[in-house]
Amino acid sequence: MRLFYAIFLPEEVRRPLAEAQGQVARYRGWKGVAPHQLHLTLLFLGERPEGDLEDLLALGHRLGRLFPTFPARIRGTGYFPNEGTPRVWFAKAEGEGFAPLAEALRQGVAELLGEEALLAGGDKPFKPHITLARRKAPAPRVPPVVFGLEWPVAEFALVRSELRPKGPIYTLLEKFPLRGEHGREQEESAGKHAEDH
């Protein structure tokens, strides 16, 4: 199964991004991402055997307990590659928690499944972004779009992607709430409380 870890966006963030996609909708060369599928990929795993699933779910839960919620922002748009002919039009995401969580997932997957499990994601440095559209044929760049979007990142997910002729279908296999120290304190408190009785 084709898998990735990702953060999906709340409706109040998806809506203005979907409106911005109207900038490229008039050009046949650009294919927009369906608004309900807008997300930030933390780690792409590619095709993995079903036997890996238990380890990947356990890793998500473990990291969810370690990482706290954090604020995220979207300010503007950009292209991959930035020079020459772009293949992807994206919204830039900022947030102190993105890079540490993505790196912890990389390390965790490498420890559990070996370095080869990271090959599908390539060796490009992690840049938090939300893909808005992919360029499939000649089409012009559109001017930058400025946003003032903020939201609290409170969970991430392990996602299954099935490629279909009309576009991928995403299935959220499991969500992992971010609880960080607060969550750990609650667990310890609950455990201590249970011992008292």
Side-chain angles (χ1 to χ4, degrees):
M1 57 179 66
R2 193 168 183 262
L3 300 173
F4 63 96
Y5 288 105
I7 293 168
F8 280 77
L9 308 175
E11 171 62 25
E12 62 269 24
V13 175
R14 287 201 310 264
R15 197 180 313 115
L17 295 180
E19 289 172 6
Q21 288 176 309
Q23 297 270 343
V24 299
R26 59 189 161 190
Y27 303 112
R28 287 188 175 184
W30 285 108
K31 183 175 182 183
V33 174
H36 71 280
Q37 292 185 333
L38 291 170
H39 68 275
L40 186 151
T41 299
L42 292 166
L43 182 64
F44 181 70
L45 297 165
E47 289 291 337
R48 301 302 312 169
E50 203 162 330
D52 289 353
L53 198 53
E54 189 175 340
D55 282 339
L56 294 171
L57 293 173
L59 175 63
H61 284 296
R62 179 165 63 83
L63 295 183
R65 287 193 292 272
L66 293 175
F67 282 80
T69 60
F70 61 92
R73 297 168 297 281
I74 297 176
R75 298 283 186 244
T77 56
Y79 290 98
F80 290 137
N82 191 37
E83 304 294 331
T85 303
R87 292 189 304 277
V88 170
W89 185 48
F90 65 88
K92 303 172 192 172
E94 302 168 6
E96 290 184 0
F98 288 132
L101 182 54
E103 180 56 29
L105 285 167
R106 282 185 63 84
Q107 289 183 5
V109 168
E111 288 168 9
L112 289 168
L113 307 176
E115 292 284 339
E116 65 86 19
L118 300 173
L119 294 177
D123 57 2
K124 293 179 183 174
F126 173 72
K127 291 185 179 177
H129 69 279
I130 294 105
T131 296
L132 298 174
R134 293 182 175 83
R135 189 172 175 273
K136 302 292 185 183
R141 288 174 180 246
V142 296
V145 180
V146 176
F147 302 103
L149 303 172
E150 296 189 13
W151 82 101
V153 176
E155 64 183 17
F156 65 104
L158 182 64
V159 186
R160 179 178 186 176
S161 169
E162 298 172 76
L163 298 178
R164 301 284 175 84
K166 290 187 176 180
I169 295 176
Y170 296 153
T171 304
L172 270 62
L173 298 178
E174 194 139 337
K175 295 178 181 177
F176 311 109
L178 299 178
R179 290 184 289 172
E181 295 298 326
H182 180 66
R184 213 177 330 177
E185 285 170 9
Q186 283 183 327
E187 284 181 357
E188 288 171 359
S189 173
K192 187 172 183 292
H193 195 64
E195 287 172 8
D196 292 343
H197 292 280

